[in-house]
Amino acid sequence: TESHKVPATILSRCQRFNLKRLPLEAITIKLQKSASDMNVQIDNASLTRIATFAEGGLRDAESLFDQILSFAEGT
């Protein structure tokens, strides 16, 4: 995450990938699919809120979603 700290001799042998944050809609759609696959009922407002807290990180959104499911009973 701090490429300026890597020596030039190492950087010259590396490939650099600049990744972007996912849009809110893409994360919400992925969470909807996950909920459907797990037969979990959750409203779109809740999924959007989870996606907002994830700030573009799908892994963060999925972790939040799993944490919420562990405390949820049914819906």
Side-chain angles (χ1 to χ4, degrees):
T1 59
E2 298 180 46
S3 60
H4 65 281
K5 291 185 177 181
V6 179
T9 54
I10 303 296
L11 277 177
S12 67
R13 293 172 175 83
C14 297
Q15 288 184 337
R16 183 176 176 150
F17 296 94
N18 294 319
L19 304 175
K20 297 178 183 178
R21 297 276 182 185
L22 290 173
L24 187 70
E25 298 81 24
I27 294 174
T28 304
I29 290 169
K30 174 63 174 148
L31 292 176
Q32 284 174 338
K33 181 166 179 8
S34 295
S36 175
D37 291 346
M38 293 187 281
N39 294 323
V40 173
Q41 293 180 353
I42 186 167
D43 59 18
N44 286 335
S46 299
L47 293 175
T48 301
R49 183 112 176 159
I50 294 168
T52 302
F53 277 114
E55 297 178 342
L58 183 58
R59 186 181 348 169
D60 293 338
E62 289 176 333
S63 293
L64 287 169
F65 185 59
D66 285 339
Q67 289 175 28
I68 290 167
L69 287 180
S70 68
F71 292 106
E73 294 179 10
T75 303

